[in-house]
Amino acid sequence: PRHAKAAVNLGTLLQLGGRRDEAETCYRNALAAAPDLAQGWFNLGTNLHGRGRGRVSGAIDALRRAIDLDPGPAAWHAALASALHQAERVPEALESARTAVRMEPGLAQAQEQLIACLQRLGDPGATIAVCRSAIELGLATQFMQSSLLDALSFLPQVTPKQVLAQRLEWGRRQAAAAGAWTPHRPADPARRFRAGGAGTRAEG
């Protein structure tokens, strides 16, 4: 019953299965047995963070405790940035995100948190710089690409025509990556389609 690491592992499996209340109990049991178990605090923090703004304060406290015990993982700083952002503590979130990026520039989660903070603070120039830097590192996530396009719209030296060209090019890349759409079932020429109000339905 006092095997803290086993309790953390069980909590992880429960959390992955969507059983967050039971997972939280496991994490708290683990921490009662081993208060200095950094992974337990981190897991508790991510669990609370995923349960809405009502639990975000507890998430921040748990994540800070995890980092105090083990400041090494960049992902932990990125997770703290996300929780702080959710709590509207954007300057603190920005600091944590920058720390995560300094530690591991190739971590997409860290770059995305930094971009989100810069967007929230209304700094399109810095947002563009970080987006381009991250994309050059091979981290061209949809969030980064769309954030770059959004930020370009706020620069006075960029014309609407240039923004449109960028957006069209992004759309072409997304369409190419998505591939052709395949219907769930083959077309049936004899199938009638009836449309009309709330009773719209297909017959066949």
Side-chain angles (χ1 to χ4, degrees), residues 133-155:
S133 175
I135 290 170
E136 287 176 3
L137 291 172
L139 306 176
T141 67
Q142 286 195 12
F143 174 78
M144 292 175 189
Q145 294 177 73
S146 62
S147 296
L148 174 60
L149 293 173
D150 289 340
L152 285 171
S153 302
F154 290 94
L155 292 185

Side-chain angles (χ1 to χ4, degrees), residues 15 23-25 27-28 31 39-49 51 55 58-59 62-63:
Q15 184 169 332
E24 180 182 347
T25 298
Y27 298 144
R28 294 194 183 280
L31 293 168
Q39 187 70 54
W41 287 107
F42 175 75
N43 286 21
L44 176 62
T46 59
N47 180 292
L48 297 174
H49 180 26
R51 295 166 74 180
R55 308 296 300 275
L63 291 168

